[in-house]
Amino acid sequence: MDVNTKKLKKNAFRVTKVRGEAASRVRVPGGRMDAKYLSVIQEIADKYGNGTVHLTIRQGFEIPGIPYEKMDEVNQMLQPVIEGMGINQEDSGTGYSASGTRNIMACVGNSMCPYGCYDTTAFARRMEKEIFPNDLHFKVCFTGCSNDCAKVRMHDFGIIGMTNPSFDSNRCVSCSACVKACKKKSVGALSPSNYRPVRDAQKCIGCGECVLACPNMAWQRSQKKYYKLTIFGRTGKKNPRMGQDWIKWIDEDSIIKIVKNTYDYVKEYIDPNAPGGKEHIGYIVDRTGFEEFKKWALKDVELPECAEVVSPMYWNGIKY
């Protein structure tokens, strides 16, 4: 069978080691889906695949063993999953419109975890709506707090939940539970003064440990949601490195705008001769200089007054 493998990959199928067989990639933005869609995935795996399903490290599914000639039928069967997950699509029944932007990952967030500072799934799905489909190779990940269970610093864009805690001295019973928790479990941003906790705003990472530790609700999470934005973490054979913190106390709208602006930046500067048509954003920034990236990324972005932008930016990594 004569197959256009570029078209196949763009349609979110993976070429496998078995000749004539592909694996269907199923997007699950934020890593959460209604259980009813699992039966659809099972039916595809049993009817068209080899009866197995791979849970990917990006929180999606891959259904291997699908003959090339059955891909159109698989796309038809995937339609209720695609619609149910709210994924943008160019033509109904034709599967996914791109495979460049990888499945958007997220920890469980504050819907289940007491440490979570925001609804990671909701933000991940909003990001999905804004940036997919796209052929550029972007990786975005969300985590609810500074515990970073989702390992966001290994992605192009990592979003860490923060809270700007408020303190009600009238509710404080001077137990120092918050001070002890901050020292033991976080960064020691609280210190006692006249039997009351004092917060060092410059040192605070907005983790919310004080809120969880207080027995009398003297500390409360801020109603407004804030985030820490990390950028350009990567693995790979060449120059792997951790993502670096760039903007602290940033808001949701600004993050969305920065990521969308980065697509424009990459389209302008990506190396057309890069292997597979892919070039990691970090390499492009290395080539153009961070200030050029910053100019594109912050175009028309209105950061909150409390936002702290790291400047200048430096990062290291393993060099080969």
Side-chain angles (χ1 to χ4, degrees), residues 231-232 246-247 261-262 265 269 281-299 309-315:
I231 54 175
F232 308 148
W246 182 31
I247 306 178
N261 284 345
T262 302
Y265 162 80
Y269 288 112
I281 307 170
Y283 292 122
I284 302 174
V285 176
D286 290 342
R287 190 171 68 247
T288 67
F290 186 82
E291 291 303 313
E292 181 65 14
F293 160 76
K294 181 178 176 181
K295 182 181 73 175
W296 283 74
L298 293 181
K299 181 181 178 182
V309 182
V310 175
S311 183
M313 279 285 290
Y314 299 102
W315 57 66

Side-chain angles (χ1 to χ4, degrees), residues 5 17 29 39 46 60 79 117 140 146 185 192 204 211 237 240 269 278 299 312:
T5 56
K17 293 175 67 175
S39 62
D46 289 338
Q79 190 59 31
C117 293
V140 184
S146 293
K185 301 175 71 176
C204 178
V211 178
K237 304 179 185 70
Y269 288 112
K278 301 173 184 176
K299 181 181 178 182

